[in-house]
Amino acid sequence: MIEVSNLIFTYPRAHQPAVRGISFRIEKGQIFGFLGPSGAGKSTVQNLMIGLLPMQKGSILYDGKTLSDMGKSFFNRVGVSFEHPNLYEKLTGVENLRYYGGLFDKPVIPPEQLLDMVGLGDAKNKRAGAYSKGMKQRLVFARAIMNRPDILFLDEPTSGLDPGTAQRIKEIILSERDRGATIFLTTHNMYAADELCDQVAFIDEGRLVAQDSPRNLKLKYGKKAIKVEYTSNGQIKSEILFVDRDEDRYRLSQLIDSGTVETLHSQEATLEQIFIKLTGRGLS
Amino acid sequence: MTARRGFCSLLKQDLVVAYRNGFFLVVVGLAVIFVILVRFVIPSEVKITPREYVVDLTEEQTIADLFMKKGLADILLPSEDALLSLMQEDRNTIGIVFRGSRENPTAVIHHQGHEPKKALNALSAAVSLVWNEAGALGRPSFSTPVLLRPESGKLPFNLSMIPLLIVTEVVLLGFLFVAVMVFQEKAEGSINAYRVSPRGTWTYIFSKSVTNVVLALCYGLLLFLPTIGPAPTLAAVLPLVTVASFLMTVTGLSVSVFFNSLSDFIYVALLVFVLFCLPVASYFFPAFKMPVFELIPSYPLMFGIREILFPTGKTGFYLPMLIRLAAESVVALLVAAWAVNRNLLKEAR
């Protein structure tokens, strides 16, 4: 379990804190989505959690222990996928993984197997500098999971990937969760978060504005309504009907019985709409 | 065991990156160029204008009077021992000892052995003129002994460049290569990946240092073998090259982590390079020696390698010099550990 309490961080020479009293808790084996627009403080929180930034105020506990308690050995249990691909560009894909794997104190997944998993098997002997952005992203992702981490930090893991590849990466993320890994997913992609996360937290201007499961957030902030499209006199018409109103429920059954209904859409809110409602600004 | 495995993995990676960066090519290229220069371009003798000193051991002391009248009292020395002692210190000197009397004028020209024959002939002619001016009644007789240095032979000028060339590589390339590696890792962001690995500051520093030491040893061997040959002195030179390369690498690390790019760093690099090359002046002109030069690590290295390759009889210098360089390396290592930890591995940038 990861417990983050009252985290405050100000960058040197900055006038205002980048993170202002953030607290949350991530249960073991959960995918925790950290959603927010660029500059909201997502990466700062992640960097604090992995020790790349020094703690100023607050605490971060992993099963009751701080990073200082655990020292460098902590990173045997951790995988980190960065938003910006950071690879040795003069090394091939397989070399990047092989040498990085050698830094761990425990056995790692063979590089070739990892490259096949992320669809880079054919490019394993190509230098990373010649990879496309999406290929680099996949290689960084593969590097993050190579030590079968207990805790996985993923920063925009599907950014810049085509839909097919993104789906493949999402499946691996879910399988990592099923294996028992706790996953901290930083993203501004609400669809990825909706699809993957057990819990999401919205961060805006360094503050946490909401935290719950995607379903609960939608129930809390969305409308229990259905949008119906139907044909009438050769024209497509639409109506929004609220399921908790008797007259709307009657109207819905009328339309269904008439056989003119073309489409039915539930009107639950998307995570982006909820974020806008809470903060007044979008995620992108 | 696992720490050693981590170190070996990082070292392999650094060696491959160094190879792909062309560092080995640079080292081989430089060594080949310098071997060609030493063996085929730089002459084994070079014309230099030595300083002359005079000792007057004549019965009438007429020569000393003559030189004093000409305002050249500063080149007069009181005894032959003083002259020989000065010549031992300064290889760029020639000593002339006037003996005998006007009736039986003689002169001894002590020289270092590397002076061209023409220069010695010209000097003999000049000494004859001095005797004539002093009223000699016959032609002076000459002897021109080479100054004896225990175990020393004549030092060919081209080979005398070897210590200098070794030091230049160790200082310049050792300092620059490691900086290039650091800036590359910063630019790629790959340093961030290392920061979230189980390995730490010491593994990082030692991996970079060993990579540079390997490069320095390759260069040293490539330069040494075709010029000096497979001499036993190689066994004494290589430990010096190893320690000096390590020292320069950790110094380069300590400095480069404070900068973000090679273009920012280059001015500091040039400054450090000039500082470390100051002892070169003393190498060619021993009189140009300031006490502060001896504090610069390249000084003992340069003169140490020269003494190993071309011994002049000094004994007991090797181990203290090696210990001194090792002690400086330990201090530089501690500074590097602090700098790398603080500026490279601790805080996200």
Side-chain angles (χ1 to χ4, degrees):
Chain A
M1 186 177 63
I2 305 169
E3 281 180 287
V4 174
S5 306
N6 197 28
L7 212 54
I8 297 174
F9 184 83
T10 308
Y11 283 101
R13 292 182 289 279
H15 299 298
Q16 291 182 331
V19 176
R20 309 170 187 214
I22 281 181
S23 301
F24 56 86
R25 166 194 271 221
I26 309 174
E27 298 297 332
K28 187 175 168 11
Q30 217 176 43
I31 300 181
F32 186 88
F34 211 47
L35 270 73
S38 297
K42 302 189 299 286
S43 296
T44 305
V45 172
Q46 175 170 312
N47 285 335
L48 286 164
M49 290 177 76
I50 54 180
L52 287 185
L53 285 173
M55 290 290 289
Q56 290 175 349
K57 280 184 184 171
S59 69
I60 300 168
L61 298 175
Y62 294 90
D63 294 327
K65 289 181 182 171
T66 64
L67 281 177
S68 320
D69 294 338
M70 293 179 286
K72 285 295 269 181
S73 65
F74 169 66
F75 292 106
N76 280 309
R77 299 172 48 211
V78 170
V80 183
S81 173
F82 295 86
E83 180 183 5
H84 302 293
N86 47 6
L87 300 157
Y88 285 92
E89 305 220 331
K90 295 278 169 73
L91 300 180
T92 64
V94 75
E95 286 169 341
N96 263 286
L97 295 183
R98 186 180 300 141
Y99 297 135
Y100 196 75
L103 301 178
F104 291 99
D105 299 334
K106 62 189 229 185
V108 295
I109 301 171
E112 287 82 0
Q113 188 184 327
L114 281 164
L115 290 167
D116 285 338
M117 277 168 72
V118 297
L120 289 175
D122 293 339
K124 67 176 181 182
N125 292 321
K126 200 171 163 182
R127 287 196 190 180
Y131 278 15
S132 68
K133 184 170 181 277
M135 290 166 85
K136 286 179 181 173
Q137 194 71 43
R138 280 183 276 164
L139 188 56
V140 169
F141 178 80
R143 190 178 63 194
I145 60 170
M146 76 183 309
N147 57 327
R148 297 184 181 87
D150 297 334
I151 305 161
L152 188 53
F153 290 90
L154 302 175
D155 197 347
E156 306 287 1
T158 55
S159 162
L161 301 183
D162 63 81
T165 312
Q167 187 55 38
R168 197 171 190 167
I169 297 298
K170 283 178 201 165
E171 284 164 12
I172 298 173
I173 293 171
L174 290 172
S175 72
E176 285 294 302
R177 192 264 311 270
D178 296 341
R179 184 179 58 76
T182 306
I183 299 170
F184 185 80
L185 176 71
T186 304
T187 184
H188 64 264
N189 182 335
M190 57 175 174
Y191 298 109
D194 200 358
E195 208 174 325
L196 294 170
C197 298
D198 302 302
Q199 286 276 311
V200 290
F202 291 145
I203 181 172
D204 185 46
E205 294 182 344
R207 289 193 181 88
L208 221 56
V209 290
Q211 183 194 330
D212 211 328
S213 67
R215 183 176 180 278
N216 287 346
L217 284 171
K218 288 177 198 170
L219 288 175
K220 190 171 175 185
Y221 295 101
K223 294 177 287 189
K224 290 179 181 172
I226 291 170
K227 184 181 179 184
V228 186
E229 286 183 334
Y230 58 94
T231 50
S232 172
N233 299 324
Q235 286 189 315
I236 299 285
K237 293 192 174 176
S238 71
E239 285 181 34
I240 294 196
L241 303 169
F242 291 88
V243 293
D244 47 3
R245 286 162 61 177
D246 289 342
E247 62 272 28
D248 281 7
R249 279 205 301 276
Y250 177 70
R251 174 70 179 145
L252 180 61
S253 65
Q254 261 190 333
L255 285 170
I256 291 169
D257 291 344
S258 69
T260 59
V261 172
E262 297 280 326
T263 61
L264 280 171
H265 294 283
S266 69
Q267 287 298 283
E268 66 183 7
T270 64
L271 291 179
E272 176 143 35
Q273 286 167 335
I274 297 168
F275 189 86
I276 292 167
K277 190 171 183 176
L278 290 169
T279 65
R281 58 194 288 218
L283 276 167
S284 338
Chain B
M1 187 68 186
T2 48
R4 196 192 309 158
R5 182 172 160 262
F7 169 73
C8 290
S9 188
L10 191 63
L11 177 61
K12 271 189 248 171
Q13 176 181 285
D14 282 337
L15 285 169
V16 172
V17 170
Y19 174 76
R20 302 239 169 103
N21 277 340
F23 290 175
F24 282 92
L25 204 63
V26 170
V27 158
V28 171
L30 276 179
V32 169
I33 289 169
F34 288 149
V35 166
I36 292 169
L37 280 176
V38 168
R39 295 214 52 171
F40 306 111
V41 180
I42 300 172
S44 58
E45 280 189 359
V46 65
K47 184 171 179 356
I48 51 171
T49 309
R51 274 183 303 283
E52 294 102 0
Y53 288 93
V54 170
V55 179
D56 184 3
L57 298 179
T58 58
E59 289 165 12
E60 302 97 341
Q61 290 282 297
T62 47
I63 301 295
D65 291 344
L66 189 67
F67 275 91
M68 279 194 275
K69 276 180 198 162
K70 286 176 180 286
L72 295 170
D74 58 321
I75 66 166
L76 286 169
L77 293 175
S79 68
E80 194 164 4
D81 285 344
L83 172 72
L84 295 176
S85 171
L86 191 139
M87 286 181 70
Q88 288 281 359
E89 287 289 311
D90 186 348
R91 282 176 170 270
N92 196 30
T93 51
I94 284 185
I96 305 148
V97 180
F98 288 86
R99 293 180 191 275
S101 60
R102 287 177 188 163
E103 292 77 22
N104 181 28
T106 63
V108 180
I109 300 175
H110 290 283
H111 63 103
Q112 303 279 358
H114 56 70
E115 297 84 350
K117 188 80 179 160
K118 279 182 186 172
L120 292 175
N121 289 341
L123 192 61
S124 300
V127 168
S128 295
L129 285 174
V130 171
W131 261 124
N132 283 346
E133 210 174 323
L137 301 173
R139 279 175 62 83
S141 63
F142 286 100
S143 63
T144 53
V146 176
L147 181 72
L148 280 180
R149 293 173 187 272
E151 299 174 43
S152 75
K154 186 180 175 184
L155 173 58
F157 182 72
N158 55 344
L159 294 186
S160 73
M161 297 296 284
I162 298 293
L164 197 66
L165 296 175
I166 289 177
V167 171
T168 307
E169 189 282 341
V170 167
V171 170
L172 178 66
L173 298 187
F175 195 75
L176 274 184
F177 279 166
V178 75
V180 169
M181 294 177 99
V182 166
F183 296 133
Q184 193 172 19
E185 289 179 352
K186 280 187 172 185
E188 291 171 338
S190 47
I191 189 67
N192 284 335
Y194 182 76
R195 286 152 73 175
V196 293
S197 80
R199 302 274 75 86
T201 307
W202 296 110
T203 306
Y204 184 85
I205 292 174
F206 280 111
S207 174
K208 293 283 180 290
S209 304
V210 172
T211 302
N212 256 7
V213 167
V214 168
L215 283 162
L217 290 176
C218 285
Y219 173 85
L221 286 169
L222 284 170
L223 185 64
F224 193 97
L225 293 175
T227 51
I228 307 289
T233 47
L234 182 61
V237 170
L238 292 185
L240 276 181
V241 170
T242 302
V243 178
S245 173
F246 181 84
L247 171 62
M248 286 315 299
T249 304
V250 291
T251 306
L253 258 179
S254 305
V255 179
S256 60
V257 294
F258 287 92
F259 297 87
N260 285 321
S261 69
L262 197 58
S263 54
D264 294 338
F265 172 75
I266 198 72
Y267 299 105
V268 179
L270 284 174
L271 197 68
V272 171
F273 181 61
V274 168
L275 178 74
F276 276 78
C277 285
L278 279 178
V280 172
S282 303
Y283 190 83
F284 284 116
F285 308 103
F288 185 65
K289 188 180 113 179
M290 296 160 81
V292 71
F293 284 6
E294 291 190 34
L295 300 175
I296 301 170
S298 50
Y299 183 92
L301 181 65
M302 200 179 300
F303 286 93
I305 292 176
R306 186 170 79 176
E307 190 61 32
I308 292 166
L309 298 183
F310 314 108
T312 62
K314 283 184 190 164
T315 54
F317 72 96
Y318 183 74
L319 201 59
M321 179 175 60
L322 200 60
I323 290 170
R324 176 193 153 174
L325 284 171
E328 285 168 347
S329 296
V330 170
V331 174
L333 176 65
L334 294 175
V335 174
W338 170 80
V340 167
N341 193 46
R342 181 186 177 277
N343 279 48
L344 200 64
L345 300 183
K346 203 73 181 172
E347 292 181 21
R349 279 165 203 286

